[in-house]
């Protein structure tokens, strides 16, 4: 299942919301600060559209992926990019992600090293 995390990260790096549609359903939940928890594919995809619009360039590089069992994983990543308003962006992130039995993302939560750039 580690390949699911890698495949999701590849789709995320495409910055194309259409590539992310296959990962979410009406029960999917994500929490990506500074936004609160969001439930449902439509709302999640709208959040990604909004995130992608804030950046001139954005890329995630995943480090080691840890299998926590029961289709749950923890991984560290770095996001690097250029924000339209705030210039160069670089942040360390820890992510918890879980998949349902059909391979859809059931829950995803990011924890950022630095949140000052979001304010």
């Amino acid at each position: 299942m580690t390949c699911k995390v890698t495949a999701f990260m590849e789709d995320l790096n495409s910055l194309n919301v259409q590539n992310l549609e296959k990962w979410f359903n009406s029960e999917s939940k994500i929490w990506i600060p500074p936004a609160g928890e969001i439930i449902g594919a439509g709302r999640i995809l709208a959040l990604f559209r909004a995130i992608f619009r804030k950046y001139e360039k954005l890329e995630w590089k995943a480090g080691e992926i840890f299998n926590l069992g029961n289709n749950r994983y923890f991984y560290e990543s770095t996001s690097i990019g250029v924000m339209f308003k705030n210039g160069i962006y670089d942040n360390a992130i820890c992510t918890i992600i879980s998949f349902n039995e059909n391979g859809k993302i059931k829950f995803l939560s990011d924890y950022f090293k630095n949140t000052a750039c979001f304010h």
Side-chain angles (χ1 to χ4, degrees), residues 18-109:
Q18 290 177 333
N19 291 341
L20 297 175
E21 289 177 355
K22 65 184 170 220
W23 293 105
F24 301 101
N25 63 23
S26 62
E27 297 175 2
S28 296
K29 295 180 188 179
I30 66 168
W31 183 23
I32 301 175
E37 186 177 82
I38 297 175
I39 301 170
R43 289 178 163 198
I44 291 169
L45 296 172
L47 174 66
F48 279 114
R49 276 187 208 93
I51 291 170
F52 296 161
R53 279 194 301 264
K54 291 182 179 186
Y55 294 86
E56 182 179 331
K57 180 182 177 185
L58 183 61
E59 178 183 11
W60 289 268
K61 295 181 181 180
E64 191 170 358
I65 300 167
F66 300 93
N67 186 337
L68 303 177
N70 296 322
N71 289 322
R72 293 179 313 150
Y73 299 85
F74 171 87
Y75 62 95
E76 301 168 295
S77 64
T78 303
S79 59
I80 303 163
V82 178
M83 298 177 87
F84 284 112
K85 290 185 179 180
N86 298 337
I88 295 173
Y89 168 82
D90 183 1
N91 213 343
I93 307 167
C94 290
T95 302
I96 297 172
I97 190 169
S98 63
F99 298 91
N100 68 17
E101 60 281 349
N102 297 322
K104 302 284 186 183
I105 293 174
K106 189 162 121 177
F107 180 75
L108 181 150
S109 185

